[in-house]
Amino acid sequence: MIDLANADERAAAAGEFVLGTLGNEERATFARALEQDATLRALVYGWQDRLLGLTGMAVAAEPPPSLWARIQASAARHAPAAPRPAARPHTALPAWWQRLGLWQGLSGLALAASLVMAVLLVQRV
């Protein structure tokens, strides 16, 4: 487990986070800490800036065609099952109650009434 209170471990963890070498649990913990810690975000940005120059030195490599088939097979095995949509209970509401135009009209009337009351209140003062 990463000790984010230790400055050396924070810097090393930020580098590993940028490189993508943290384990799943450590990555999740680090990502949660990253959301709330501006200093930690600055460390990550620093690592990103340092390592960005290396991307230009790397030679582009074409992966073998069999790799994509393996990736898709692996993703299919590890993908969670698609959740079934929950059955909506039958509602006995009348059709006019579910019309969008009705609610838009009522909202417009409520807005107009509140504006009229605000103007009257300002004029009274």
Side-chain angles (χ1 to χ4, degrees):
M1 194 53 125
I2 303 169
D3 179 18
L4 294 177
N6 183 334
D8 291 335
E9 283 194 41
R10 284 170 64 94
E16 289 182 36
F17 181 79
V18 171
L19 289 171
T21 58
L22 288 177
N24 289 340
E25 186 177 318
E26 290 176 329
R27 183 173 183 76
T29 302
F30 191 86
R32 281 192 301 273
L34 196 60
E35 292 174 358
Q36 300 176 2
D37 191 346
T39 308
L40 196 56
R41 282 193 300 272
L43 283 171
V44 168
Y45 295 149
W47 273 104
Q48 287 174 340
D49 289 343
R50 267 184 261 159
L51 297 175
L52 185 63
L54 296 176
T55 60
M57 296 169 30
V59 178
E62 186 68 32
S66 63
L67 178 62
W68 291 116
R70 286 190 357 228
I71 290 172
Q72 288 175 338
S74 176
R77 279 194 313 269
H78 297 340
R84 286 193 221 161
R88 289 186 58 194
H90 178 65
T91 58
L93 297 174
W96 62 268
W97 187 259
Q98 297 177 354
R99 289 199 176 122
L100 180 62
L102 169 72
W103 297 111
Q104 288 175 336
L106 287 176
S107 297
L109 286 174
L111 176 64
S114 64
L115 290 174
V116 167
M117 288 191 296
V119 168
L120 291 175
L121 183 64
V122 168
Q123 285 180 349
R124 188 177 234 190
V125 173

